[in-house]
Amino acid sequence: MERDTSNFLQFTQKKEKIERENCVASLSLSREKREMTDQKKKPKAVIVGGSIAGVSCAHTLILAGWDVVVVEKSYAAPTGSPTGAGLGLDPLALKLIQSWIKEPELLNKATLPLTIDQNDAIDGEKKVKWTLTRDEDFNCRAAHWADLHALLYNALPPNLFLWGHHFLSFSVSSDKGSVKVKASAHQTNEIIEIVGDLLVAADGCLSSIRQSFVPDHKLRYSGYCAWRGVLDFSGNENSETIIGIRRAYPELGKCLYFGLGSGSHTVLYELLNQRLNWIWYVHQPEPDLKRNSMTTKAGSDVIQNMHKEAEKVWLPEFVRVIKETREPFINAIYDSEPLEQIYWDNVVLVGDAAHPTTPHAVRSTNMSVLDAAVLGQCLKKWGAQNLQSALEEYHSIRLPVVSKQVLHARRMGRIKQGLVLPDRPSFDPKTANSEECQELQQRLMPFFSDVPAILL
């Protein structure tokens, strides 16, 4: 009897030991499964702003293995609308965009070459022009804003955008592990909350997210605004206006023309689908910006006065293009002093939010595209678990570059507008020597052909 009891106790102890070992093994396996699940769970980024900078970041963050939500105040994507105007894409931006879209050849089909950068002096009284400087190796391409945006947007997975949502606020968790974004739906006023690992501020030069970190950082008014417009001449390619402008500017379709007058300058180049993009920079007091926008619609009386002024200072062929453009608009020209920092905790600035710039050096869109590419590669390199290291590297790569480019674009604008600079007298296109004219070339922009090592 005692032997039976002893055997029973030994059996029971063995069984309990096996059960404990199985339980420990089960717990260990469960923990490993949880860890594997956590590792497989994608980090999430909330992008505020769905313009070129925001949609570019959506591409690069997805490629880096992130989930993405884009909060955009517009009600819908600008499908074929005349939103915005023309822009120039440099070779690096072109290459990057082609790597993001499914059909790279579509980018060439949606753009026209800008192989020549030419600056002309314009004598408004005599109605003549002559070339000051010419670069035949410019190698950029011209796009319409809406065309480029549609190309990038349509190449993204569906349902990333929260259209018609106004960004309200954000807060970073106490452990810096997450960020919560609040936004309101325009139509219903419903407040939604989105929690992510990273907030990407692509909310433009008037960025409210940037303002929360550097409240004393102000935009700088340049002293001038730009009249902008796109003339659609489809069906009228043999009109007197188009024949005349092609005679006066024979390399439209491959040339970026700058016209320098007395204290003013213009831009002219062709876009795909028989459109001409033009800009005229005009000195005027700082406007009263409304609706948190840098662009303003002009009334018919203001447009008529603009037409009369244009007749006094520009070639008649250029003036006719201006007069036949429907709904030209006014763009207030601002930039800011370079920031000292472009990320804080789980928040990073990109595009015009990180570096408001004047448009004279064809940089704004190219800077935004490159911001997105570098940010994506930094996140891919370091992984979400090393977010601070990723953002620090992004900061160290981009801040020195964009700071110099913003200041150079400012200088170029002041030269072309005939404004005084500390180290030189105001530029006069009628008397400028060859050395002074060389300063007008786009390729003098710092880091003009630079490719960040992280992208190689």
Side-chain angles (χ1 to χ4, degrees), residues 298-319:
S300 58
D301 55 337
V302 178
I303 293 173
Q304 289 299 319
N305 288 335
M306 180 267 287
H307 289 169
K308 291 177 182 177
E309 290 300 313
E311 289 174 348
K312 299 176 184 177
V313 294
W314 303 120
L315 300 183
E317 295 87 352
F318 186 82
V319 175

Side-chain angles (χ1 to χ4, degrees), residues 371-383:
D371 285 351
V374 171
L375 178 60
Q377 285 300 113
C378 289
L379 293 172
K380 183 177 181 180
K381 172 184 173 180
W382 289 97

Side-chain angles (χ1 to χ4, degrees), residues 337-403:
E337 295 302 317
L339 292 166
E340 295 181 0
Q341 192 168 345
I342 53 176
Y343 85 96
W344 296 264
D345 297 327
N346 304 51
V347 184
V348 63
L349 307 181
V350 297
D352 290 340
H355 37 73
T357 186
T358 58
H360 306 292
V362 197
R363 282 293 94 197
S364 181
T365 299
N366 294 294
M367 292 160 83
S368 296
V369 169
L370 193 49
D371 285 351
V374 171
L375 178 60
Q377 285 300 113
C378 289
L379 293 172
K380 183 177 181 180
K381 172 184 173 180
W382 289 97
Q385 66 275 18
N386 295 306
L387 180 60
Q388 291 305 301
S389 297
L391 298 183
E392 173 58 34
E393 183 164 13
Y394 164 77
H395 165 98
S396 67
I397 293 172
R398 293 301 292 149
L399 189 62
V401 173
V402 298
S403 298

Side-chain angles (χ1 to χ4, degrees), residues 97-109 151 155:
I97 293 169
Q98 286 179 322
S99 73
W100 302 338
I101 61 180
K102 297 174 183 177
E103 301 177 74
E105 69 277 4
L106 291 179
L107 183 58
N108 282 341
K109 291 179 180 178
L151 192 65

Side-chain angles (χ1 to χ4, degrees), residues 98-224:
Q98 286 179 322
S99 73
W100 302 338
I101 61 180
K102 297 174 183 177
E103 301 177 74
E105 69 277 4
L106 291 179
L107 183 58
N108 282 341
K109 291 179 180 178
T111 58
L112 285 181
L114 286 178
T115 57
I116 303 168
D117 168 28
Q118 181 166 313
N119 287 267
D120 297 327
I122 310 293
D123 188 324
E125 293 181 1
K126 297 179 180 179
K127 304 303 179 186
V128 295
K129 71 181 180 74
W130 62 95
T131 299
L132 298 172
T133 181
R134 177 181 169 92
D135 177 6
E136 297 187 1
D137 296 311
F138 191 46
N139 295 328
C140 292
R141 294 188 73 85
H144 190 279
W145 185 93
D147 294 342
L148 178 62
H149 188 276
L151 192 65
L152 287 165
Y153 174 71
N154 291 332
L156 286 170
N159 305 319
L160 297 184
F161 274 62
L162 288 174
W163 294 106
H165 281 74
H166 178 69
F167 166 79
L168 296 175
S169 64
F170 72 93
S171 58
V172 177
S173 63
S174 58
D175 65 355
K176 314 297 184 185
S178 64
V179 59
K180 181 189 293 184
V181 174
K182 289 186 179 181
S184 64
H186 288 314
Q187 294 182 330
T188 64
N189 290 324
E190 177 189 4
I191 306 296
I192 65 166
E193 292 184 351
I194 313 163
V195 177
D197 301 280
L198 174 66
L199 170 58
V200 180
D203 52 341
C205 62
L206 293 168
S207 171
S208 60
I209 298 174
R210 181 188 67 227
Q211 192 73 12
S212 67
F213 291 106
V214 282
D216 296 329
H217 187 80
K218 306 297 182 185
L219 294 181
R220 182 201 69 96
Y221 179 56
S222 65
Y224 48 90

